Amino acid sequence: MNDLQPIPCVLMRGGTSKGPFFLGSDLPSNVAERDRILLSVMGSGHPLQIDGIGGGNPVTSKVAIISPASVAGADVDYLFAQVRIDQQIVDTSPNCGNMLAAVAPFAIEAGLVTGTDGKTLVRVHNVNTGKIIEAELSTPNGKVCYMGDASIDGVPGHAAPIALTFLDAAGARTGQLFPTGMPLNHIGHVDVTCIDCAMPMVLMNAAALGVTGYETADALNADAALLRRIETIRLEAGHLMGMGDVTQQVTPKPVLISPARQGGDLNVRYFMPHECHPSLATTGAVGIATAATSAGTVAAALIGDRPIPTVLRIEHPSGGLDIKLDERDGQRIAGVLRTARRLFDGVVYAKPEKADKIAA
């Protein structure tokens, strides 16, 4: 019909994030060609992503690639890609727990998993981290149900609940819960906790950076001096965590923490990494809750001793998020409730490779 490249695609909201879902078989196996297509589809290289379907915000510039399981004990593979907005960069180093919420319904409706009457448990292998996450969702008569009474802060309305259980999330990137070898380090005269649990992060007390931690996301994003200081700490944390130069990576994610003031356990401002999240990443919440229940961390210093099993409520700019911590077979597990919604399906159009060469 035209000179663009059509690719089957489903746009889905997962948790507080949104982005296109692709079957791995519909994308090139060559990583460079795959990433070129993703950059074209999302419209990266422009702050509004005006020439693509990205939303001009890190939480809406995400991609999920779903394939049959490649490891024992899993039902599907899930490769997450954070597509940068104004740069031609596709980062597949982190996981995304919000997009993860939409993986199970997508997999069932794509025919990769057979739904069972009542509820279906889908074991998702996150290719980025090598970890398994369980997703349980409502499937009356074996069909995905999106409508329900559950609600999550950061998303309007109600939907069917999707229960995510992160199994053995420690060391998702570095192989260690505390990659520096200790729960507390000092960077730039600031006490920090470098933790790798579901997501590599560097946690620091907001007051140590001269802010309260209760500011709006917009207010923090407008504080150029604060962002520069946070980035300096993040880059040094990357080296201390054995991740090398993380300038072009989105991890470790910086997190400002402060005492809760809305009845929760801890208040946070989570960065992605150069912009404050409007709510909170699911993977970030898992790591933050784990830090808060681990002795010697900056988070534990704010809430005191908290043995597991327990439920922690983490406050964020849009409300709060509950994390249930427990143990299974001697390993710590973390559970969180999310919702998802299928928004549209069809084809998305990428520019052919020759178009990039002509433009160059």
Side-chain angles (χ1 to χ4, degrees):
M1 294 177 61
N2 55 49
D3 57 354
L4 297 174
Q5 181 179 356
I7 304 167
C9 169
V10 177
L11 184 69
M12 300 195 74
R13 175 185 64 79
T16 56
S17 295
K18 180 172 67 176
F21 277 61
F22 298 98
L23 288 172
S25 56
D26 290 328
L27 292 172
S29 57
N30 178 273
V31 172
E33 174 62 9
R34 179 202 69 196
D35 289 355
R36 185 198 67 77
I37 287 176
L38 296 183
L39 291 167
S40 174
V41 162
M42 300 302 284
S44 293
H46 186 279
L48 297 178
Q49 294 180 309
I50 197 68
D51 201 33
I53 64 173
N57 186 288
V59 299
T60 56
S61 190
K62 300 183 175 187
V63 172
I65 302 172
I66 314 301
S67 305
S70 62
V71 299
D75 297 306
V76 293
D77 278 1
Y78 156 53
L79 177 67
F80 168 70
Q82 181 72 61
V83 182
R84 300 288 284 273
I85 296 169
D86 55 358
Q87 299 182 58
Q88 299 287 300
I89 297 174
V90 176
D91 191 351
T92 57
S93 60
N95 182 12
C96 176
N98 276 304
M99 291 285 278
L100 171 66
V103 170
F106 174 86
I108 292 172
E109 294 185 308
L112 295 177
V113 175
T114 301
T116 56
D117 187 23
K119 292 182 181 294
T120 301
L121 181 68
V122 180
R123 296 170 181 83
V124 180
H125 168 231
N126 178 233
V127 179
N128 309 73
T129 63
K131 301 293 185 176
I132 301 290
I133 304 97
E134 295 177 345
E136 187 177 60
L137 68 163
S138 178
T139 52
N141 299 315
K143 298 184 181 299
V144 174
C145 175
Y146 289 104
M147 303 303 294
D149 297 326
S151 64
I152 59 175
D153 290 338
V155 177
H158 296 78
I162 298 176
L164 301 179
T165 303
F166 290 77
L167 312 176
D168 187 27
R173 171 77 183 278
T174 66
Q176 301 178 71
L177 179 62
F178 297 114
T180 69
M182 57 189 69
L184 193 69
N185 295 96
H186 308 280
I187 302 177
H189 306 292
V190 176
D191 288 344
V192 304
T193 290
C194 299
I195 188 169
D196 179 8
C197 185
M199 177 71 70
M201 294 179 290
V202 51
L203 279 56
M204 61 201 93
N205 198 309
L209 279 80
V211 293
T212 66
Y214 309 117
E215 293 85 356
T216 65
D218 287 342
L220 294 173
N221 291 336
D223 191 337
L226 173 67
L227 295 180
R228 286 194 297 269
R229 191 175 182 195
I230 289 176
E231 180 64 0
T232 298
I233 293 173
R234 187 183 84 87
L235 294 179
E236 179 61 25
H239 285 291
L240 290 177
M241 296 171 76
M243 298 169 63
D245 183 1
V246 296
T247 304
Q248 300 299 323
Q249 299 179 35
V250 298
T251 56
K253 301 291 181 71
V255 183
L256 303 183
I257 64 172
S258 54
R261 64 175 187 176
Q262 300 294 331
D265 296 288
L266 198 65
N267 178 75
V268 306
R269 295 295 184 264
Y270 180 91
F271 288 78
M272 307 178 286
H274 307 121
E275 186 173 339
C276 184
H277 200 296
S279 54
L280 176 59
T282 301
T283 46
V286 170
I288 293 166
T290 301
T293 53
S294 299
T297 67
V298 293
L302 288 182
I303 72 166
D305 183 43
R306 184 67 66 88
I308 57 173
T310 189
V311 176
L312 269 70
R313 182 164 181 81
I314 303 175
E315 298 172 3
H316 55 70
S318 297
L321 197 159
D322 295 328
I323 298 291
K324 181 180 180 180
L325 297 175
D326 207 337
E327 287 189 351
R328 182 193 300 178
D329 300 326
Q331 294 181 331
R332 184 174 292 197
I333 62 174
V336 59
L337 184 145
R338 298 277 85 186
T339 65
R341 182 184 171 199
R342 191 180 183 98
L343 300 174
F344 74 71
D345 61 67
V347 295
V348 66
Y349 293 91
K351 292 180 179 179
E353 185 176 8
K354 64 180 181 180
D356 295 332
K357 292 180 179 179
I358 291 173

